[in-house]
Amino acid sequence: MAAGRGLRLSPRYIFYSMDERLKLIIIGAIVGIFGGLASVALNRSLRYVSEILNTIRHVRYAPLLPAIGAAFSSIFLRHVVRDLGAHSVPEVIYSVSRKGGLLRLRSSFSRLVSGFLTIASGGSAGPEAPVVISGASIGSNIGTIFNLRDRQREVIVGCGAAAAIASIFNAPFAGIAFSLEVILGEWTIINLAPIAIASVVGTEVSRILQGNQIPFHHRIFHSGALDLVACIGLAALTSLGSIILIRLLKMAESHFKKVTSIFWLRAALGGLIVGIIGLFLPQVLGEGYEVIRRVIGEQYSPGIVISGFATLGKIVATSLTIGSGGSGGLFAPCLVIGSLMGLFYQSTIASVFPSVMWAGESYFALLGMAGVLSSVLQAPLTGIFLVVEITGGYDFIVPVVLVSVISATISHYFEPFSVYHQELIRRGELLRPRTDARVLAELSVMELLEKDCLLVHPEMRLKEFVSIVQRSHRNYFPVVDSKTGSFLGMIHLDDVRPYLFNPGLYESVIVGEIMNTNIYTVSPDDELADIISVFDREHTWSLPVVQDGKFLGLISKATLMDHYRKELIVQEEK
Amino acid sequence: MKNQLLHVFRNTPFGRETLLQSVYFCRMTKTPINVYIPEFPQFLMYFEKEIVTVDLDRAFLRDPETAREHAEQIIRSQGLKPNFFTPKRFTASTLPDIPVDFRYMTCPRTISNLSTKVSLGYIGPRVRNIIKNASFPVIIPSPVYKEWKRITVFFGGSANAINAFKAGIKISQLSGLPLTLFTEIEDPYTEESYRDILRENMLYDEIEKGNVNWLFFDKGRLMEDLYNVPHDALIVVGAYGHGLIKELFFGSTLETIQSVLPNSMVIVGPNFL
Amino acid sequence: MKLNAREVARLIDMPEETIQRWIRKGSLPAVEINGKYMVREDDLRKWADKHNIVLNEEQRDTGSEPKRKDVSIYKAMHRGGVFYGIKGDNVKDVLEDMVRVVTLPENLDKKMLLELLLEREKLASTGIGEGIAIPHPRTTPKDLLPWPIISTCFLEKEVDFNAIDGKPVFVAFMMLSPSIKTHLDMLSRLSFCLRDKEFVNFLRCIPREEDLLEKVRLMETRLKPTSSTQS
């Protein structure tokens, strides 16, 4: 666009004057590269280390490994990078919903390292969360470098998250779905383009550097109508598994806190138990991509009992690893649990109905993955796209949609919110764009303050008050002390109207006698959501804003309404 | 928060001196004080373009039972109303967010390292980071409580110096204490060029009103000239002069001042509003 | 042309804090100049248009007349002028003659004005008693009239206006105001003067234009300023 004017314009100028959407797409692509690199880095090192560690798995002290890894990981987070905060992905969502997508630079590598320590040593957790945080944080900081505003930065944070997921699974659609469904919570054209680009770029980066993470050759499933019916059972089973996982995780978290207050010992303890479980069920250790690979490649058929135990073992190990303070996410464990569960389900129905020609184990394993992921994350689209992209075939789409949606719906009854959102919702911090809560959170009392009220003093005679009423265009008159200026009460015109027209009282009544001292006041730091509930409770239209005893102004429902509407209007993307 | 001063309380004798300084500042400028008694070893400040993570040294978390009592005692002894800040938001359950819309904030020279590091010439990296990002001036109190009776603003002509002058005028107006401008004339400039800068920024009125005493030094020996700053002056200074390397160090003037003068200082950063 | 946050705030009638937040959030397009945010006027117009936000144009050039409503009846009467010997035997004829003689802003259609006056008269008489009438249109032709106008018309002979007290009217103050509020302000000022018996008697003597205006000016100085002159 600026080409015609020649080279006099600096690239910097061209960039800054560029159309917002184009700018976001370009930055999205850059972030996609970094997100892809982060995921490749973590995956490569995980694979490399696990190959080494596999040679010593049978050694007697092997169960200690996860303990040592988890302890180091938590010490690293706490003392080396000083990155506190237990939950990882919620932090990104919090930042997007409250803080304009600002994330700390240190988060771009700290979780990668700590996640690596936890997972490589055998802790049962996924590398996706660390990579998502890393990608999001890289995105946030790149956005800041490019001088983006809050809303644009939020989109770029979403780009980072999308690129991370997309590049791990070689699944750009899953990346887009995850970012929009879980991180940003809204689908708009402005969001979609840069996120899609970041996803694709991230996928491409990892494809060039390492090939597919969960390789699966496209094949046609020979599935019949009965398989579809069986899917419903699997959906119920996966949602049950998800609920158990979520509840166990919460339990583990609260119980570990009681056991010891020394954080690294806590993590080590969790790791130790996982290590012991791993002695019997080595499948539960690590992020488990290898397990998924083997299960869906149908190279692994342990039978009903083992697969059942492995499923439970993985659920327990995951809860222990993450609940005790290990670093990592739930994404990969969900997939492992899902695949093992699918396996278990297939073996079960195959033995109960031996006469039926059931579809293969991989069919149910993949469906199980979609089911568990959808219900734990409460993000069915992410689950659907991920599995569809792994299999590379759209003929598989009917059962996947069926399982994902049913599973997510059933678990929604018991665990209505995504694991990532629960904590934020409890704190009231999950603010999706253009929702009531978001609008109220962005407005502040000081913006709504009406300062043009006429103040009256308690010693004023009614006559003087009447003359003030005449000049005012408001119905509320705050009463303040004439010397100290501190707030004493209010007069609402409705309450005193009868006296105003009675000249007989003009000299004998003073303001101090007719003011209402029993007035609810709000402070400028109060949340608007709380103020609204005060309005409703007090049945009033105006409330005085008081700070340190001083009257600052009035806040009224009418102004609030006006600003609320404007806020909604400007938040609309056009 | 808008008009308050934020003080992060360290429950140690050193912290007492710092709080006394804050309280004195509040008393003089009629600013309400808001004290944060940390419960967690870290807090975050979300500035417009950067999150500053403040790690607190362990002394901040010592004896939480007595901390509140001590702070209240100190504040009441100076006739102010104690106000305690409870974080409303948390990035993670042990990671509170502290708002950034205060009018002033008091930071000791170091907030993350043990107070044994406190010495002239050292300002910790977190404090620097806060100054760099904050829209409010940061007060760096002298290590021992000392009342100040006048205000000295260092004016080197930069945009930050202009902001420092504005902040100084504000403090002087609120406290009714006399204001002195201190200018070390730099080479190509003359006294008049500094006056012109104020005129351009519509601040010369203050000089003409006769409220401000302006001292010029042209020997180019800042170190020696600093001896002329009264012992009981509150220093107001902009964080950066004309320097280029803004990330690691403040302007050379500020670095010199903070390593030579033991007075309490108010540092005005580049994002001052 | 670039505007700072305060100017934008005035233009869209929102607090400055809100504007700054919108800019920070990226809801409102802005450029950063020396650490301060500025909004290009073109961008602002496009943005406002897109979001259906009405810009408060007149607020910008303060000091222009429409904002500070001039509610001095002295000035209004000065503008409107004083006329003597208005002919007519009934309300309609009187009004017709009045509209004919008075000087009005050029763009104001006299025929339309007369219709409006008659329409108002049909609703209720504007004769307020003591031989005085204040004919005025019910709705004011807003855009046509920058300032309020009072034209004082002494009638050739007293005419029955169906006034409240039944007394025939000898003087009519034709009042045109740009807004209801100005109208009420003017009316309350004028009626304050007319409540004064001495003033009414003074009017009965049919004073010269200069004397009348001087008298009104003096009386008006005794009046407290109304709320709208204050704000």
Side-chain angles (χ1 to χ4, degrees):
Chain A
M1 8 174 218
R5 276 192 277 165
L7 298 164
R8 272 174 307 145
L9 297 171
S10 68
R12 197 181 153 89
Y13 176 83
I14 294 174
F15 188 79
Y16 282 123
S17 57
M18 205 182 270
D19 177 67
E20 184 192 329
R21 296 179 198 199
L22 194 57
K23 196 154 96 178
L24 282 184
I25 288 175
I26 291 173
I27 300 174
I30 298 171
V31 172
I33 294 174
F34 282 103
L37 287 177
S39 100
V40 171
L42 182 57
N43 259 314
R44 272 281 172 90
S45 33
L46 275 180
R47 234 194 264 181
Y48 181 70
V49 173
S50 71
E51 269 165 29
I52 297 174
L53 287 184
N54 272 342
T55 58
I56 57 160
R57 279 269 180 245
H58 55 275
V59 179
R60 200 182 323 155
Y61 300 111
L64 287 180
L65 263 181
I68 297 167
F72 272 120
S73 145
S74 62
I75 289 171
F76 172 81
L77 268 190
R78 188 94 160 207
H79 288 306
V80 181
V81 286
R82 306 210 49 147
D83 191 352
L84 304 186
H87 295 286
S88 34
V89 176
E91 213 174 299
V92 176
I93 301 168
Y94 172 74
S95 152
V96 164
S97 68
R98 256 291 178 202
K99 303 291 182 186
L102 269 183
L103 284 165
R104 289 180 290 174
L105 187 60
R106 63 180 76 175
S107 305
S108 57
F109 60 90
S110 62
R111 305 301 163 99
L112 283 185
V113 177
S114 67
F116 166 74
L117 288 172
T118 304
I119 301 163
S121 66
S124 168
E128 296 81 6
V131 177
V132 164
I133 301 193
S134 174
S137 165
I138 292 169
S140 167
N141 285 286
I142 288 181
T144 306
I145 292 171
F146 281 110
N147 209 1
L148 293 186
R149 307 273 187 268
D150 288 8
R151 267 165 65 180
Q152 302 167 327
R153 185 167 36 214
E154 287 163 18
V155 177
I156 296 300
V157 166
C159 287
I165 291 293
S167 61
I168 289 182
F169 295 110
N170 195 2
F173 270 123
I176 298 170
F178 176 78
S179 177
L180 295 177
E181 208 169 23
V182 177
I183 304 287
L184 295 180
E186 62 163 355
W187 303 68
T188 64
I189 295 291
I190 293 191
N191 283 353
L192 192 59
I195 287 174
I197 297 289
S199 251
V200 172
V201 170
T203 312
E204 206 48 48
V205 166
S206 85
R207 241 180 235 172
I208 291 168
L209 292 176
Q210 66 171 11
N212 208 332
Q213 188 58 230
I214 305 180
F216 187 84
H217 298 292
H218 176 62
R219 60 190 260 199
I220 311 284
F221 290 100
H222 298 285
S223 56
L226 269 179
D227 290 309
L228 270 187
V229 177
C231 285
I232 298 168
L234 183 59
L237 190 66
T238 52
S239 60
L240 177 71
S242 324
I243 295 163
I244 295 175
L245 176 64
I246 294 174
R247 302 240 160 126
L248 264 185
L249 189 63
K250 280 187 204 159
M251 262 171 65
E253 244 168 65
S254 58
H255 281 277
F256 269 110
K257 281 208 179 111
K258 284 179 211 153
V259 174
T260 168
S261 61
I262 305 169
F263 65 94
W264 59 266
L265 197 60
R266 209 186 295 154
L269 196 64
L272 184 66
I273 307 176
V274 173
I276 293 169
I277 299 175
L279 268 187
F280 305 100
L281 296 161
Q283 306 91 315
V284 306
L285 294 179
E287 90 285 354
Y289 287 150
E290 188 53 37
V291 178
I292 302 174
R293 247 172 259 149
R294 281 167 55 205
V295 169
I296 60 180
E298 302 201 349
Q299 301 158 339
Y300 178 70
S301 359
I304 303 182
V305 182
I306 301 286
S307 59
F309 273 113
T311 310
L312 285 177
K314 184 73 187 174
I315 293 179
V316 173
T318 306
S319 323
L320 289 172
T321 305
I322 297 174
S324 68
S327 210
L330 279 171
F331 212 101
C334 282
L335 296 178
V336 176
I337 293 166
S339 63
L340 289 171
M341 204 174 258
L343 207 58
F344 167 74
Y345 186 69
Q346 203 270 352
S347 333
T348 312
I349 53 171
S351 62
V352 176
F353 307 101
S355 55
V356 183
M357 262 297 288
W358 295 106
E361 286 156 355
S362 55
Y363 177 87
F364 286 101
L366 284 164
L367 292 181
M369 283 158 60
V372 174
L373 195 65
S374 303
S375 43
V376 171
L377 265 54
Q378 279 298 316
L381 280 177
T382 309
I384 293 169
F385 279 125
L386 185 68
V387 170
V388 165
E389 276 174 307
I390 288 176
T391 58
Y394 282 81
D395 47 342
F396 193 48
I397 205 154
V398 177
V400 175
V401 171
L402 202 65
V403 172
S404 285
V405 172
I406 294 177
S407 175
T409 313
I410 296 176
S411 55
H412 183 80
Y413 267 108
F414 302 95
E415 290 290 339
F417 310 114
S418 157
V419 272
Y420 294 140
H421 298 159
Q422 278 175 357
E423 170 72 10
L424 292 174
I425 288 173
R426 194 181 56 73
R427 275 156 44 190
E429 302 283 20
L430 185 72
L431 308 169
R432 291 313 200 184
R434 287 188 291 287
T435 54
D436 177 66
R438 176 71 167 255
V439 172
L440 289 179
E442 299 211 333
L443 286 169
S444 72
V445 174
M446 292 309 275
E447 289 173 37
L448 299 171
L449 203 62
E450 293 165 6
K451 296 174 192 141
D452 56 341
C453 347
L454 298 174
L455 300 180
V456 295
H457 305 304
E459 67 277 2
M460 261 181 188
R461 291 184 190 287
L462 188 59
K463 192 175 172 189
E464 283 172 85
F465 178 67
V466 170
S467 76
I468 285 175
V469 172
Q470 232 171 20
R471 279 190 282 137
S472 164
H473 52 278
R474 293 195 180 281
N475 294 335
Y476 289 88
F477 297 88
V479 185
V480 299
D481 191 291
S482 44
K483 284 186 201 73
T484 63
S486 53
F487 177 78
L488 299 172
M490 279 231 287
I491 298 179
H492 183 198
L493 215 51
D494 284 356
D495 298 341
V496 297
R497 210 179 295 277
Y499 319 119
L500 295 185
F501 300 101
N502 187 346
L505 299 175
Y506 278 9
E507 298 294 336
S508 55
V509 171
I510 59 167
V511 164
E513 294 166 334
I514 52 171
M515 71 181 182
N516 186 353
T517 51
N518 189 19
I519 289 274
Y520 199 95
T521 64
V522 296
S523 121
D525 304 325
D526 282 348
E527 302 277 323
L528 273 180
D530 299 337
I531 292 178
I532 289 199
S533 63
V534 174
F535 271 129
D536 291 345
R537 201 179 59 222
E538 306 279 310
H539 300 290
T540 176
W541 283 86
S542 269
L543 285 169
V545 181
V546 175
Q547 188 182 37
D548 300 313
K550 300 267 183 305
F551 175 79
L552 297 182
L554 285 176
I555 179 165
S556 78
K557 262 190 189 173
T559 321
L560 177 65
M561 168 72 200
D562 181 43
H563 285 230
Y564 185 100
R565 193 177 151 266
K566 287 226 173 93
E567 198 64 40
L568 265 181
I569 291 176
V570 296
Q571 283 192 16
E572 259 170 57
E573 300 201 353
K574 285 185 181 168
Chain B
M1 312 299 155
K2 286 270 186 266
N3 54 5
Q4 297 172 322
L5 177 143
L6 174 69
H7 183 100
V8 184
F9 183 58
R10 219 190 211 127
N11 191 17
T12 61
F14 176 64
R16 178 189 63 211
E17 301 299 316
T18 321
L19 180 58
L20 278 167
Q21 300 270 24
S22 285
V23 172
Y24 182 72
F25 185 93
C26 288
R27 217 177 68 199
M28 297 313 285
T29 58
K30 293 160 193 77
T31 309
I33 193 166
N34 203 340
V35 176
Y36 173 51
I37 299 176
E39 288 171 61
F40 306 102
Q42 236 180 24
F43 64 79
L44 298 183
M45 297 182 92
Y46 282 83
F47 290 104
E48 196 183 328
K49 289 190 178 148
E50 192 181 342
I51 306 175
V52 175
T53 313
V54 181
D55 304 292
L56 300 164
D57 88 62
R58 253 169 270 144
F60 278 100
L61 303 161
R62 197 163 290 156
D63 282 339
E65 308 86 46
T66 58
R68 199 183 161 102
E69 198 182 308
H70 285 164
E72 241 176 80
Q73 232 169 26
I74 294 167
I75 297 168
R76 285 198 199 282
S77 72
Q78 302 280 318
L80 288 188
K81 194 172 142 266
N83 241 329
F84 290 98
F85 175 77
T86 347
K88 275 189 196 159
R89 302 203 185 304
F90 292 84
T91 295
S93 55
T94 54
L95 196 53
D97 308 344
I98 305 290
V100 294
D101 57 350
F102 290 96
R103 184 178 284 170
Y104 300 102
M105 177 175 173
T106 308
C107 286
R109 280 170 180 266
T110 169
I111 199 164
S112 303
N113 300 310
L114 287 174
S115 39
T116 45
K117 269 213 171 180
V118 172
S119 64
L120 285 185
Y122 180 78
I123 293 181
R126 294 293 160 244
V127 179
R128 283 166 189 269
N129 233 345
I130 293 174
I131 293 170
K132 201 177 88 193
N133 284 291
S135 59
F136 47 79
V138 171
I139 301 163
I140 298 196
S142 59
V144 177
Y145 172 51
K146 173 166 178 142
E147 297 187 356
W148 32 268
K149 299 274 184 274
R150 63 197 82 236
I151 295 146
T152 298
V153 177
F154 281 84
F155 184 73
S158 68
N160 285 312
I162 288 163
N163 285 337
F165 184 43
K166 284 182 192 161
I169 292 169
K170 179 106 192 173
I171 297 171
S172 155
Q173 277 169 352
L174 290 168
S175 62
L177 292 176
L179 181 73
T180 305
L181 264 184
F182 186 108
T183 298
E184 183 77 34
I185 298 176
E186 280 173 44
D187 212 3
Y189 301 108
T190 61
E191 216 179 289
E192 202 50 29
S193 27
Y194 289 95
R195 292 188 190 276
D196 283 343
I197 293 172
L198 283 194
R199 285 194 191 101
E200 273 166 37
N201 287 281
M202 331 266 198
L203 288 166
Y204 203 68
D205 284 359
E206 298 297 325
I207 309 286
E208 279 177 339
K209 271 190 246 159
N211 300 338
V212 179
N213 176 24
W214 200 340
L215 299 176
F216 287 98
F217 296 89
D218 54 2
K219 302 258 167 45
R221 289 180 307 194
L222 183 60
M223 287 278 208
E224 287 93 87
D225 294 334
L226 286 178
Y227 196 85
N228 295 308
V229 176
H231 67 96
D232 58 353
L234 174 74
I235 311 291
V236 184
V237 57
Y240 308 103
H242 310 280
L244 289 173
I245 312 164
K246 289 190 176 177
E247 297 303 314
L248 289 173
F249 294 103
F250 296 130
S252 57
T253 315
L254 174 57
E255 294 294 354
T256 313
I257 291 169
Q258 65 101 351
S259 56
V260 172
L261 289 176
N263 303 42
S264 291
M265 288 189 291
V266 174
I267 302 185
V268 181
N271 287 310
F272 175 77
L273 285 178
Chain C
M1 170 144 169
K2 296 194 179 75
L3 308 164
N4 64 21
R6 180 172 307 148
E7 288 161 332
V8 176
R10 209 183 302 141
L11 265 173
I12 52 185
D13 199 16
M14 292 294 275
E16 203 182 324
E17 286 110 325
T18 309
I19 302 302
Q20 262 159 0
R21 182 167 53 78
W22 283 353
I23 292 175
R24 224 171 34 239
K25 290 270 166 211
S27 306
L28 180 63
V31 287
E32 202 176 330
I33 296 170
N34 297 333
K36 298 228 155 47
Y37 290 121
M38 302 291 270
V39 181
R40 289 200 194 90
E41 200 177 340
D42 288 358
D43 288 352
L44 180 69
R45 272 176 212 293
K46 258 183 251 162
W47 175 86
D49 199 41
K50 215 159 62 177
H51 288 98
N52 284 329
I53 288 175
V54 183
L55 294 185
N56 235 350
E57 301 289 355
E58 61 182 42
Q59 295 277 350
R60 269 183 64 207
D61 30 21
T62 48
S64 83
E65 210 55 38
K67 198 199 154 210
R68 281 171 41 94
K69 282 188 192 73
D70 193 347
V71 287
S72 152
I73 49 168
Y74 162 73
K75 283 187 189 160
M77 287 173 79
H78 190 83
R79 276 194 286 269
V82 181
F83 304 91
Y84 300 91
I86 299 297
K87 297 186 179 62
D89 300 320
N90 53 32
V91 180
K92 185 165 178 281
D93 293 349
V94 169
L95 289 178
E96 223 174 81
D97 200 40
M98 262 165 60
V99 170
R100 191 179 55 78
V101 297
V102 294
T103 41
L104 290 171
E106 277 173 26
N107 46 6
L108 201 66
D109 183 19
K110 289 199 169 188
K111 211 163 152 194
M112 184 188 71
L113 178 64
L114 178 65
E115 269 167 34
L116 289 170
L117 289 173
L118 288 170
E119 196 186 349
R120 168 65 182 83
E121 220 62 46
K122 234 179 262 168
L123 289 173
S125 166
T126 56
I128 58 161
E130 295 297 334
I132 293 158
I134 308 177
H136 58 267
R138 190 164 58 95
T139 48
T140 39
K142 203 178 199 165
D143 307 332
L144 305 176
L145 206 65
W147 305 287
I149 294 177
I150 297 174
S151 301
T152 314
C153 302
F154 290 95
L155 308 191
E156 199 180 41
K157 52 185 180 238
E158 297 190 350
V159 173
D160 183 18
F161 247 72
N162 280 328
I164 310 172
D165 56 0
K167 289 186 187 166
V169 165
F170 71 95
V171 62
F173 297 93
M174 186 173 79
M175 200 156 107
L176 304 174
S177 350
S179 73
I180 303 282
K181 188 158 165 28
T182 331
H183 175 72
L184 289 176
D185 280 343
M186 308 273 296
L187 200 59
S188 79
R189 286 168 161 259
L190 189 59
S191 49
F192 171 82
C193 298
L194 297 175
R195 236 181 289 148
D196 191 340
K197 277 267 156 30
E198 193 201 330
F199 183 65
V200 176
N201 290 335
F202 171 71
L203 283 175
R204 283 217 179 262
C205 312
I206 309 183
R208 286 190 307 145
E209 179 162 355
E210 301 83 45
D211 297 342
L212 174 65
L213 290 177
E214 182 57 20
K215 182 95 178 165
V216 172
R217 197 181 66 75
L218 281 175
M219 290 192 77
E220 199 168 28
T221 52
R222 280 190 274 142
L223 268 169
K224 265 186 269 171
T226 59
S227 58
S228 62
T229 46
Q230 268 199 335
S231 61

